[in-house]
Amino acid sequence: MTLDSALCITLLDQTSHYYGGYYHVKVLACCDIPLEKCFFETDDEFRAAVAKMGSSVRFERVLEKMAVPESEIESVRSQLIKAFNETSKVYLSVPDFSCRFVRSEYQKNLKKPSQIRTPRV
């Protein structure tokens, strides 16, 4: 699904059997957003972001409904995707979404403790 903001959202069906004749209908909506220098105030900040997060940041939303009878899987999947299009697609299409999302993820990443592990004795 290509948006007005030039982002491309991938929808992955991850539906699985739940119990008896019931299913967990699950669709993963995801998009990798590349880090760009213009998203950051300085080149140093950009380089620091790339060092911490890599060359892109993943946007993900899980669309799901539990305990769906087998006969309703297709219609529930369609309803989930329709709801995503009516809600999330709107703000994903805003021209500055990529910049705001990448900056937000970078700020969250800065607050995370370092991943350096100390060996157990």
Side-chain angles (χ1 to χ4, degrees):
M1 172 184 328
T2 303
L3 306 175
D4 296 339
S5 61
L7 292 178
C8 185
I9 304 292
T10 301
L11 300 174
L12 302 169
D13 181 20
Q14 298 180 332
T15 299
S16 60
H17 184 253
Y18 176 60
Y19 178 78
Y22 294 94
Y23 289 78
H24 176 194
V25 177
K26 181 177 175 183
V27 177
L28 175 65
C30 60
C31 174
D32 290 327
I33 302 171
L35 273 67
E36 297 181 20
K37 283 185 182 184
C38 63
F39 294 167
F40 300 91
E41 293 180 17
T42 67
D43 286 347
D44 288 341
E45 188 180 31
F46 169 70
R47 284 191 291 276
V50 171
K52 272 193 154 308
M53 301 187 306
S55 61
S56 66
V57 176
R58 176 159 282 200
F59 166 84
E60 287 186 348
R61 287 297 175 267
V62 175
L63 321 170
E64 64 187 336
K65 185 170 182 181
M66 294 291 290
V68 176
E70 186 172 7
S71 62
E72 296 177 22
I73 292 174
E74 290 299 321
S75 66
V76 167
R77 185 182 301 119
S78 293
Q79 290 169 4
L80 291 170
I81 293 170
K82 182 180 179 200
F84 176 80
N85 284 330
E86 291 172 353
T87 57
S88 301
K89 190 175 174 183
V90 173
Y91 66 83
L92 291 169
S93 296
V94 174
D96 69 340
F97 171 78
S98 294
C99 178
R100 289 185 297 118
F101 181 75
V102 167
R103 299 264 326 144
S104 173
E105 292 299 304
Y106 178 58
Q107 293 303 315
K108 288 178 196 173
N109 201 292
L110 286 176
K111 294 176 184 176
K112 288 182 183 177
S114 177
Q115 295 295 328
I116 299 172
R117 299 192 184 253
T118 54
R120 290 186 178 181
V121 177

